[in-house]
Amino acid sequence: MRTPNGQNWNKKSEHLWNLFIAVMHFPQYHHSHNDLWARLVLEELYRFGVRACCIAPGSRNTPLTLNAIKVGFDIYRHFDERSLGFFALGLIKTSECPVVVITTSGTAVANLYPAVVEAYQTGMPLIIISADRPPRLHNCGANQSIPQSGIFTHFSPRSINFGCPDPSVSPESILTDIDRVMVDQKPGNGHVTHINMMFDEPLYPESGQDKRDFSGYLSAVNHWCASDNRATFDRIEHGGATDYHTRAVSDSVAHHQLDSFFARPGFVVVGALHCDADVQAVKRLIEELAWPVIVDSQSQLKGMPDTLSSMDLLLAENGDTLLRRYTELSAGECNLLQLGGRLVSKRIQAFIESRPWREFWVVHPGEYPLAPGHNFSAFIASAIPQFCDKALAALANLKSAVGSDARRTTGLSPSLRMTLLRAQAELQGEIRAWLGIPDTLTEVEVFKVLIPRLNSAFNLFIGNSLAIRAFEMIAGVYNYPSSPKLIANRGASGIDGLLAAACGSAMGNGRVTFCVLGDTSLLHDLNSLHWLSKLNVPVIVILLNNGGGGIFHHLPIPDTDLRRDFYTLPHSVNFGAAAQAFAVTHKCVETLSALENELEDVFKSPKHTVLEVRIDPDSSYQQMRTLVERSAYFIRGKTSSDKDVLK
């Protein structure tokens, strides 16, 4: 008798071998090669830290479904793949871990496309495992067979196409392929990974069927089977796969360049920060800098002391604002440092694009600079904490060189920052006084009463279109006691899958989640109300019902009938009946006092609720228009009184 490796075998050897098999972490007995390959793939993903698995029902993916249960994933199920994909995105954003989605074959895979696009745009490590039919059933008219390999094309730069399980294909190659696509999978710096697995019949274990011994096939990876370690991670990480790694700051920016950059006056713009480590790193850096700090909604820094949280109002009307006047006076002298992901505010983006910056550095770990104006001077593809550490070292060098506080070495910025912060505080006071007089219920009023009630125990998911525009405008005016986790789908900024993503966010970190979205957005994702009947973490949906696409009232569409028939598309959907169909509590309010009362009840005893807020779109448009005009008028007055601050 011989061992699986071909060595001589005796009774004692057989006994020792059986003992070795008995202590194996990875099971040696499986129903079929389908069963074994599914288990190999899922086990290795688990060893990479994947803990959540989202599964849509289907027959072809049975080997994957059964083994996902055995591996021990937290499993989430939904009947609609599009909703499931966005739910997985929400999980990623708050758990800060990759998430697996498993589907059957055919259009089930294609339904994930919107979520894949959003994940790609924001660097989210979404892993798709699609079950496929064997080659003999392709290109012959067989049912539910479509070309699945490469279906996500550009949006899935890391992909694997496994053929049908075959004894001639070693387990080492399977594990190596998984390791190759899983290196450096972190939110904000992740990749969409598509693993296509072909399975032929039989898909289900037969009743009474004994499992087969695959110890011989697995003998080449005994070291892996007997441990909890990944198979070849170290070899891949250090063995030349540099195209999968974040480029080091030291490779692209020399120390003297950092010293020179921070020795001049400048501004910091903070975009989307997806991980707590990024947030803390940026906080450390801006505490040491004297530069004015402009924070976007997704930065998690809205309302932080000494930051410009109301930039959308300070830049109102693109007029003669403080920032424009001061950057004109110092034309060619100011630097700009943009940290993190995409920006929400169009006004901030326009400000960035319109200034003659001396140097404009864009820093984030993606593959291309997030600078639509193409006016950047350097793109540093770096993890945010890594860059911030280098920048802090440069500031320490400056302090050492001048023998004083490093924050004093940046010339004109301290006086500029204080002037801007004073102007912001005065503007915020003006806006609060104006909004303090109860008016018609609008999107702005909803955020006015919601924001002060939130703290770090909550998630706040902001929908796209008018919801996030209203939030960006008012969030700095009304601050949280402590910052909630703010989540949005701003990669492609679509209105599909928003409720599903909010539900995933709630499960990702276990926090009560407020999801503020528009009525058209909910119509796009109505079946995600089903999640609310299954989740044990409350999700409160604040539905801004303005009778269709309310944001189109803010766009220069000249004809009222044209806007109604082709843009806003008013509807008569009864959201109360829809909520009832999914056994979800529904409340409807039409006044500000009623909204405040309902929110008081929700905060006392959170539970799944759809809180519908009826909004008149014309009143909403007029309020936001007046808010911008008042801000612009106030800033024009401030500009003339503070214009000499840089001289």
mmCIF file of all heavy atoms in Angstrom, residues 19-30 39-40 42-44 46-47 51 70-72 218 221-230:
data_model
loop_
_atom_site.group_PDB
_atom_site.id
_atom_site.type_symbol
_atom_site.label_atom_id
_atom_site.label_comp_id
_atom_site.label_asym_id
_atom_site.label_seq_id
_atom_site.Cartn_x
_atom_site.Cartn_y
_atom_site.Cartn_z
ATOM 1 N N LEU A 19 -4.742 9.434 11.828
ATOM 2 C CA LEU A 19 -4.759 10.421 12.915
ATOM 3 C C LEU A 19 -4.549 11.826 12.352
ATOM 4 O O LEU A 19 -5.175 12.801 12.785
ATOM 5 C CB LEU A 19 -3.672 10.103 13.949
ATOM 6 C CG LEU A 19 -3.922 8.897 14.849
ATOM 7 C CD1 LEU A 19 -2.699 8.647 15.745
ATOM 8 C CD2 LEU A 19 -5.161 9.125 15.718
ATOM 9 N N PHE A 20 -3.643 11.938 11.370
ATOM 10 C CA PHE A 20 -3.359 13.234 10.750
ATOM 11 C C PHE A 20 -4.612 13.782 10.055
ATOM 12 O O PHE A 20 -4.964 14.949 10.192
ATOM 13 C CB PHE A 20 -2.217 13.078 9.748
ATOM 14 C CG PHE A 20 -1.846 14.347 9.034
ATOM 15 C CD1 PHE A 20 -1.286 15.407 9.735
ATOM 16 C CD2 PHE A 20 -2.049 14.478 7.665
ATOM 17 C CE1 PHE A 20 -0.934 16.576 9.079
ATOM 18 C CE2 PHE A 20 -1.699 15.635 7.015
ATOM 19 C CZ PHE A 20 -1.134 16.687 7.722
ATOM 20 N N ILE A 21 -5.288 12.902 9.326
ATOM 21 C CA ILE A 21 -6.505 13.306 8.629
ATOM 22 C C ILE A 21 -7.561 13.766 9.627
ATOM 23 O O ILE A 21 -8.294 14.727 9.406
ATOM 24 C CB ILE A 21 -7.054 12.137 7.773
ATOM 25 C CG1 ILE A 21 -6.079 11.800 6.644
ATOM 26 C CG2 ILE A 21 -8.426 12.489 7.211
ATOM 27 C CD1 ILE A 21 -5.835 12.919 5.685
ATOM 28 N N ALA A 22 -7.618 13.088 10.768
ATOM 29 C CA ALA A 22 -8.641 13.390 11.770
ATOM 30 C C ALA A 22 -8.510 14.790 12.338
ATOM 31 O O ALA A 22 -9.497 15.398 12.746
ATOM 32 C CB ALA A 22 -8.590 12.357 12.894
ATOM 33 N N VAL A 23 -7.286 15.312 12.384
ATOM 34 C CA VAL A 23 -7.097 16.643 12.966
ATOM 35 C C VAL A 23 -7.048 17.733 11.899
ATOM 36 O O VAL A 23 -6.789 18.889 12.217
ATOM 37 C CB VAL A 23 -5.808 16.697 13.822
ATOM 38 C CG1 VAL A 23 -5.884 15.719 14.967
ATOM 39 C CG2 VAL A 23 -4.568 16.440 12.970
ATOM 40 N N MET A 24 -7.264 17.360 10.660
ATOM 41 C CA MET A 24 -7.260 18.349 9.598
ATOM 42 C C MET A 24 -8.348 19.396 9.842
ATOM 43 O O MET A 24 -9.481 19.055 10.185
ATOM 44 C CB MET A 24 -7.503 17.681 8.234
ATOM 45 C CG MET A 24 -6.323 16.920 7.704
ATOM 46 S SD MET A 24 -4.996 18.011 7.177
ATOM 47 C CE MET A 24 -3.917 16.827 6.365
ATOM 48 N N HIS A 25 -7.981 20.647 9.643
ATOM 49 C CA HIS A 25 -8.984 21.715 9.735
ATOM 50 C C HIS A 25 -9.951 21.626 8.557
ATOM 51 O O HIS A 25 -11.156 21.758 8.716
ATOM 52 C CB HIS A 25 -8.299 23.084 9.746
ATOM 53 C CG HIS A 25 -9.258 24.229 9.721
ATOM 54 N ND1 HIS A 25 -9.814 24.744 10.862
ATOM 55 C CD2 HIS A 25 -9.782 24.944 8.685
ATOM 56 C CE1 HIS A 25 -10.638 25.738 10.534
ATOM 57 N NE2 HIS A 25 -10.627 25.877 9.225
ATOM 58 N N PHE A 26 -9.408 21.417 7.373
ATOM 59 C CA PHE A 26 -10.234 21.332 6.175
ATOM 60 C C PHE A 26 -10.662 19.893 5.963
ATOM 61 O O PHE A 26 -9.831 18.976 5.956
ATOM 62 C CB PHE A 26 -9.447 21.830 4.962
ATOM 63 C CG PHE A 26 -10.266 21.914 3.706
ATOM 64 C CD1 PHE A 26 -11.099 23.005 3.486
ATOM 65 C CD2 PHE A 26 -10.213 20.908 2.755
ATOM 66 C CE1 PHE A 26 -11.859 23.087 2.328
ATOM 67 C CE2 PHE A 26 -10.967 20.976 1.593
ATOM 68 C CZ PHE A 26 -11.803 22.073 1.382
ATOM 69 N N PRO A 27 -11.955 19.628 5.775
ATOM 70 C CA PRO A 27 -12.436 18.238 5.655
ATOM 71 C C PRO A 27 -11.884 17.535 4.421
ATOM 72 O O PRO A 27 -11.724 18.147 3.360
ATOM 73 C CB PRO A 27 -13.959 18.393 5.580
ATOM 74 C CG PRO A 27 -14.190 19.803 5.143
ATOM 75 C CD PRO A 27 -13.058 20.598 5.701
ATOM 76 N N GLN A 28 -11.627 16.268 4.576
ATOM 77 C CA GLN A 28 -11.072 15.458 3.490
ATOM 78 C C GLN A 28 -12.144 14.679 2.729
ATOM 79 O O GLN A 28 -11.866 14.118 1.668
ATOM 80 C CB GLN A 28 -10.053 14.453 4.057
ATOM 81 C CG GLN A 28 -8.976 15.099 4.939
ATOM 82 C CD GLN A 28 -8.025 15.966 4.153
ATOM 83 O OE1 GLN A 28 -7.222 15.466 3.375
ATOM 84 N NE2 GLN A 28 -8.121 17.272 4.338
ATOM 85 N N TYR A 29 -13.354 14.665 3.240
ATOM 86 C CA TYR A 29 -14.441 13.896 2.630
ATOM 87 C C TYR A 29 -15.512 14.853 2.100
ATOM 88 O O TYR A 29 -15.979 15.750 2.821
ATOM 89 C CB TYR A 29 -15.058 12.930 3.635
ATOM 90 C CG TYR A 29 -14.153 11.778 3.999
ATOM 91 C CD1 TYR A 29 -13.161 11.928 4.962
ATOM 92 C CD2 TYR A 29 -14.280 10.546 3.358
ATOM 93 C CE1 TYR A 29 -12.311 10.878 5.283
ATOM 94 C CE2 TYR A 29 -13.436 9.487 3.674
ATOM 95 C CZ TYR A 29 -12.458 9.656 4.636
ATOM 96 O OH TYR A 29 -11.615 8.607 4.952
ATOM 97 N N HIS A 30 -15.900 14.634 0.836
ATOM 98 C CA HIS A 30 -16.896 15.492 0.195
ATOM 99 C C HIS A 30 -17.766 14.637 -0.717
ATOM 100 O O HIS A 30 -17.378 13.552 -1.152
ATOM 101 C CB HIS A 30 -16.211 16.597 -0.613
ATOM 102 C CG HIS A 30 -15.294 17.452 0.210
ATOM 103 N ND1 HIS A 30 -15.697 18.608 0.822
ATOM 104 C CD2 HIS A 30 -13.972 17.295 0.542
ATOM 105 C CE1 HIS A 30 -14.689 19.136 1.493
ATOM 106 N NE2 HIS A 30 -13.630 18.357 1.341
ATOM 107 N N ARG A 39 -16.098 24.274 -1.657
ATOM 108 C CA ARG A 39 -15.589 24.412 -0.282
ATOM 109 C C ARG A 39 -14.186 25.038 -0.274
ATOM 110 O O ARG A 39 -13.878 25.880 0.586
ATOM 111 C CB ARG A 39 -15.563 23.035 0.393
ATOM 112 C CG ARG A 39 -15.158 23.052 1.859
ATOM 113 C CD ARG A 39 -16.154 23.842 2.725
ATOM 114 N NE ARG A 39 -15.819 23.795 4.134
ATOM 115 C CZ ARG A 39 -16.298 22.899 5.007
ATOM 116 N NH1 ARG A 39 -17.144 21.952 4.581
ATOM 117 N NH2 ARG A 39 -15.951 22.939 6.272
ATOM 118 N N LEU A 40 -13.335 24.657 -1.212
ATOM 119 C CA LEU A 40 -11.989 25.236 -1.291
ATOM 120 C C LEU A 40 -12.049 26.752 -1.484
ATOM 121 O O LEU A 40 -11.366 27.514 -0.788
ATOM 122 C CB LEU A 40 -11.217 24.604 -2.451
ATOM 123 C CG LEU A 40 -10.584 23.229 -2.228
ATOM 124 C CD1 LEU A 40 -10.137 22.637 -3.563
ATOM 125 C CD2 LEU A 40 -9.404 23.313 -1.270
ATOM 126 N N LEU A 42 -14.570 28.891 -0.942
ATOM 127 C CA LEU A 42 -15.199 29.615 0.168
ATOM 128 C C LEU A 42 -14.334 29.584 1.426
ATOM 129 O O LEU A 42 -14.272 30.566 2.171
ATOM 130 C CB LEU A 42 -16.581 29.025 0.449
ATOM 131 C CG LEU A 42 -17.611 29.276 -0.654
ATOM 132 C CD1 LEU A 42 -18.856 28.422 -0.439
ATOM 133 C CD2 LEU A 42 -17.990 30.752 -0.714
ATOM 134 N N GLU A 43 -13.658 28.485 1.658
ATOM 135 C CA GLU A 43 -12.772 28.386 2.822
ATOM 136 C C GLU A 43 -11.632 29.398 2.726
ATOM 137 O O GLU A 43 -11.294 30.071 3.711
ATOM 138 C CB GLU A 43 -12.203 26.972 2.924
ATOM 139 C CG GLU A 43 -11.172 26.776 4.029
ATOM 140 C CD GLU A 43 -11.756 26.814 5.433
ATOM 141 O OE1 GLU A 43 -12.947 26.469 5.574
ATOM 142 O OE2 GLU A 43 -11.020 27.174 6.376
ATOM 143 N N GLU A 44 -11.042 29.530 1.533
ATOM 144 C CA GLU A 44 -9.932 30.468 1.397
ATOM 145 C C GLU A 44 -10.408 31.914 1.538
ATOM 146 O O GLU A 44 -9.715 32.750 2.114
ATOM 147 C CB GLU A 44 -9.224 30.253 0.053
ATOM 148 C CG GLU A 44 -7.943 31.059 -0.108
ATOM 149 C CD GLU A 44 -6.797 30.592 0.793
ATOM 150 O OE1 GLU A 44 -7.040 29.877 1.802
ATOM 151 O OE2 GLU A 44 -5.647 30.951 0.498
ATOM 152 N N TYR A 46 -12.838 32.853 3.414
ATOM 153 C CA TYR A 46 -13.044 33.016 4.859
ATOM 154 C C TYR A 46 -11.718 33.318 5.557
ATOM 155 O O TYR A 46 -11.643 34.154 6.455
ATOM 156 C CB TYR A 46 -13.674 31.749 5.435
ATOM 157 C CG TYR A 46 -14.174 31.904 6.857
ATOM 158 C CD1 TYR A 46 -15.474 32.331 7.111
ATOM 159 C CD2 TYR A 46 -13.340 31.629 7.940
ATOM 160 C CE1 TYR A 46 -15.942 32.470 8.412
ATOM 161 C CE2 TYR A 46 -13.795 31.771 9.247
ATOM 162 C CZ TYR A 46 -15.095 32.186 9.474
ATOM 163 O OH TYR A 46 -15.546 32.328 10.767
ATOM 164 N N ARG A 47 -10.655 32.654 5.125
ATOM 165 C CA ARG A 47 -9.338 32.874 5.734
ATOM 166 C C ARG A 47 -8.777 34.257 5.401
ATOM 167 O O ARG A 47 -7.868 34.726 6.068
ATOM 168 C CB ARG A 47 -8.369 31.778 5.288
ATOM 169 C CG ARG A 47 -8.776 30.392 5.783
ATOM 170 C CD ARG A 47 -7.740 29.343 5.456
ATOM 171 N NE ARG A 47 -8.210 27.997 5.783
ATOM 172 C CZ ARG A 47 -7.433 26.925 5.840
ATOM 173 N NH1 ARG A 47 -6.133 27.034 5.569
ATOM 174 N NH2 ARG A 47 -7.932 25.729 6.138
ATOM 175 N N ARG A 51 -16.498 37.465 6.114
ATOM 176 C CA ARG A 51 -17.379 36.857 7.115
ATOM 177 C C ARG A 51 -18.841 36.879 6.703
ATOM 178 O O ARG A 51 -19.661 36.176 7.290
ATOM 179 C CB ARG A 51 -17.224 37.576 8.464
ATOM 180 C CG ARG A 51 -15.870 37.331 9.126
ATOM 181 C CD ARG A 51 -15.687 35.881 9.498
ATOM 182 N NE ARG A 51 -14.405 35.601 10.119
ATOM 183 C CZ ARG A 51 -13.317 35.223 9.472
ATOM 184 N NH1 ARG A 51 -13.361 35.082 8.149
ATOM 185 N NH2 ARG A 51 -12.186 34.973 10.113
ATOM 186 N N LYS A 70 -21.670 25.539 5.691
ATOM 187 C CA LYS A 70 -20.693 24.724 6.434
ATOM 188 C C LYS A 70 -19.478 25.536 6.879
ATOM 189 O O LYS A 70 -18.940 25.321 7.963
ATOM 190 C CB LYS A 70 -20.241 23.552 5.555
ATOM 191 C CG LYS A 70 -21.342 22.551 5.235
ATOM 192 C CD LYS A 70 -20.842 21.520 4.225
ATOM 193 C CE LYS A 70 -21.953 20.590 3.782
ATOM 194 N NZ LYS A 70 -21.501 19.666 2.710
ATOM 195 N N VAL A 71 -19.029 26.468 6.041
ATOM 196 C CA VAL A 71 -17.837 27.252 6.377
ATOM 197 C C VAL A 71 -18.093 28.139 7.585
ATOM 198 O O VAL A 71 -17.191 28.392 8.391
ATOM 199 C CB VAL A 71 -17.381 28.084 5.159
ATOM 200 C CG1 VAL A 71 -16.328 29.112 5.545
ATOM 201 C CG2 VAL A 71 -16.822 27.155 4.077
ATOM 202 N N GLY A 72 -19.319 28.611 7.745
ATOM 203 C CA GLY A 72 -19.641 29.406 8.923
ATOM 204 C C GLY A 72 -19.816 30.890 8.668
ATOM 205 O O GLY A 72 -19.711 31.706 9.592
ATOM 206 N N LEU A 218 -5.980 16.181 -2.047
ATOM 207 C CA LEU A 218 -5.628 17.329 -1.210
ATOM 208 C C LEU A 218 -4.239 17.236 -0.591
ATOM 209 O O LEU A 218 -3.802 18.166 0.094
ATOM 210 C CB LEU A 218 -6.668 17.482 -0.089
ATOM 211 C CG LEU A 218 -8.086 17.867 -0.528
ATOM 212 C CD1 LEU A 218 -9.060 17.692 0.638
ATOM 213 C CD2 LEU A 218 -8.124 19.310 -1.039
ATOM 214 N N VAL A 221 -1.681 20.036 -0.513
ATOM 215 C CA VAL A 221 -1.923 21.236 0.311
ATOM 216 C C VAL A 221 -2.217 20.829 1.758
ATOM 217 O O VAL A 221 -3.008 21.470 2.443
ATOM 218 C CB VAL A 221 -3.076 22.090 -0.274
ATOM 219 C CG1 VAL A 221 -2.668 22.725 -1.585
ATOM 220 C CG2 VAL A 221 -4.350 21.272 -0.435
ATOM 221 N N ASN A 222 -1.568 19.763 2.217
ATOM 222 C CA ASN A 222 -1.781 19.309 3.603
ATOM 223 C C ASN A 222 -1.466 20.410 4.613
ATOM 224 O O ASN A 222 -2.127 20.532 5.641
ATOM 225 C CB ASN A 222 -0.917 18.076 3.892
ATOM 226 C CG ASN A 222 -1.568 16.795 3.407
ATOM 227 O OD1 ASN A 222 -2.781 16.745 3.205
ATOM 228 N ND2 ASN A 222 -0.762 15.759 3.191
ATOM 229 N N HIS A 223 -0.415 21.204 4.317
ATOM 230 C CA HIS A 223 -0.059 22.285 5.235
ATOM 231 C C HIS A 223 -1.210 23.269 5.387
ATOM 232 O O HIS A 223 -1.437 23.832 6.452
ATOM 233 C CB HIS A 223 1.183 23.014 4.709
ATOM 234 C CG HIS A 223 0.969 23.698 3.396
ATOM 235 N ND1 HIS A 223 0.824 23.004 2.202
ATOM 236 C CD2 HIS A 223 0.851 25.022 3.086
ATOM 237 C CE1 HIS A 223 0.642 23.865 1.217
ATOM 238 N NE2 HIS A 223 0.643 25.103 1.725
ATOM 239 N N TRP A 224 -1.922 23.468 4.301
ATOM 240 C CA TRP A 224 -3.075 24.380 4.321
ATOM 241 C C TRP A 224 -4.265 23.724 5.028
ATOM 242 O O TRP A 224 -4.936 24.359 5.838
ATOM 243 C CB TRP A 224 -3.434 24.751 2.881
ATOM 244 C CG TRP A 224 -4.630 25.651 2.736
ATOM 245 C CD1 TRP A 224 -4.644 27.000 2.821
ATOM 246 C CD2 TRP A 224 -5.973 25.246 2.458
ATOM 247 N NE1 TRP A 224 -5.927 27.483 2.624
ATOM 248 C CE2 TRP A 224 -6.756 26.415 2.397
ATOM 249 C CE3 TRP A 224 -6.597 24.007 2.256
ATOM 250 C CZ2 TRP A 224 -8.130 26.390 2.138
ATOM 251 C CZ3 TRP A 224 -7.967 23.979 1.996
ATOM 252 C CH2 TRP A 224 -8.712 25.162 1.949
ATOM 253 N N CYS A 225 -4.499 22.453 4.719
ATOM 254 C CA CYS A 225 -5.634 21.741 5.320
ATOM 255 C C CYS A 225 -5.523 21.663 6.837
ATOM 256 O O CYS A 225 -6.526 21.667 7.551
ATOM 257 C CB CYS A 225 -5.731 20.324 4.751
ATOM 258 S SG CYS A 225 -6.183 20.237 3.011
ATOM 259 N N ALA A 226 -4.301 21.588 7.343
ATOM 260 C CA ALA A 226 -4.091 21.388 8.771
ATOM 261 C C ALA A 226 -4.006 22.693 9.551
ATOM 262 O O ALA A 226 -3.765 22.678 10.756
ATOM 263 C CB ALA A 226 -2.817 20.577 8.994
ATOM 264 N N SER A 227 -4.200 23.839 8.868
ATOM 265 C CA SER A 227 -4.043 25.125 9.548
ATOM 266 C C SER A 227 -5.224 26.029 9.244
ATOM 267 O O SER A 227 -6.150 25.655 8.522
ATOM 268 C CB SER A 227 -2.746 25.805 9.090
ATOM 269 O OG SER A 227 -2.905 26.321 7.772
ATOM 270 N N ASP A 228 -5.176 27.223 9.803
ATOM 271 C CA ASP A 228 -6.157 28.263 9.493
ATOM 272 C C ASP A 228 -5.547 29.344 8.608
ATOM 273 O O ASP A 228 -6.139 30.410 8.430
ATOM 274 C CB ASP A 228 -6.676 28.922 10.779
ATOM 275 C CG ASP A 228 -7.504 27.963 11.614
ATOM 276 O OD1 ASP A 228 -8.244 27.166 11.013
ATOM 277 O OD2 ASP A 228 -7.413 28.015 12.850
ATOM 278 N N ASN A 229 -4.355 29.091 8.071
ATOM 279 C CA ASN A 229 -3.636 30.112 7.314
ATOM 280 C C ASN A 229 -4.050 30.121 5.855
ATOM 281 O O ASN A 229 -4.481 29.098 5.301
ATOM 282 C CB ASN A 229 -2.123 29.879 7.403
ATOM 283 C CG ASN A 229 -1.619 29.944 8.826
ATOM 284 O OD1 ASN A 229 -2.111 30.732 9.623
ATOM 285 N ND2 ASN A 229 -0.639 29.108 9.142
ATOM 286 N N ARG A 230 -3.863 31.261 5.211
ATOM 287 C CA ARG A 230 -4.069 31.343 3.777
ATOM 288 C C ARG A 230 -2.968 30.574 3.065
ATOM 289 O O ARG A 230 -1.864 30.429 3.593
ATOM 290 C CB ARG A 230 -4.079 32.817 3.344
ATOM 291 C CG ARG A 230 -5.265 33.563 3.935
ATOM 292 C CD ARG A 230 -5.171 35.050 3.712
ATOM 293 N NE ARG A 230 -4.135 35.645 4.540
ATOM 294 C CZ ARG A 230 -4.189 36.883 5.016
ATOM 295 N NH1 ARG A 230 -5.233 37.634 4.769
ATOM 296 N NH2 ARG A 230 -3.203 37.371 5.737
#
